[in-house]
Amino acid sequence: MNGLLAWMRSNRLIHPFSPRGKLIHLGLESLTAAAGLIDAASSVRPDCLVRRRLYRLATEEKHVAQLTKTAEGHPDLARWMTPDEVRTALGVEG
């Protein structure tokens, strides 16, 4: 599974942004295609995918700045969430 996830990420199937938060070439089209694949997989096996949302975690201060800027620049596609908001959204105890 890790190999597939790495392949999907490297081909930008999962999200439309570069590491610096800019829209990549055909990023929105890729996001739409990924949603279609998720829907198709879920129709065959509803338990195989848990969520259609993507969470990109900030592991360093520079990531906080980059991801906040991305959320501000693309509010229709991204939203900055605090660690507590992410835990709540995922149903994880803090």
Side-chain angles (χ1 to χ4, degrees), residues 20-32:
R20 293 189 180 187
K22 299 192 186 280
L23 281 173
I24 61 170
H25 179 65
L26 298 177
L28 294 177
E29 292 83 353
S30 295
L31 188 63
T32 300

Side-chain angles (χ1 to χ4, degrees), residues 87 91-94:
R87 283 186 203 97
V92 176
E93 302 268 334

Side-chain angles (χ1 to χ4, degrees), residues 50-80:
V50 179
R51 295 177 177 86
R52 285 185 65 165
R53 295 182 182 262
L54 305 170
Y55 297 91
R56 206 165 173 187
L57 303 178
T59 57
E60 299 175 19
E61 276 304 312
K62 69 178 184 178
H63 297 152
V64 172
Q66 289 172 340
L67 295 174
T68 301
K69 185 177 176 182
T70 299
E72 290 169 356
H74 303 282
D76 54 325
L77 297 172
R79 180 169 70 97
W80 173 255

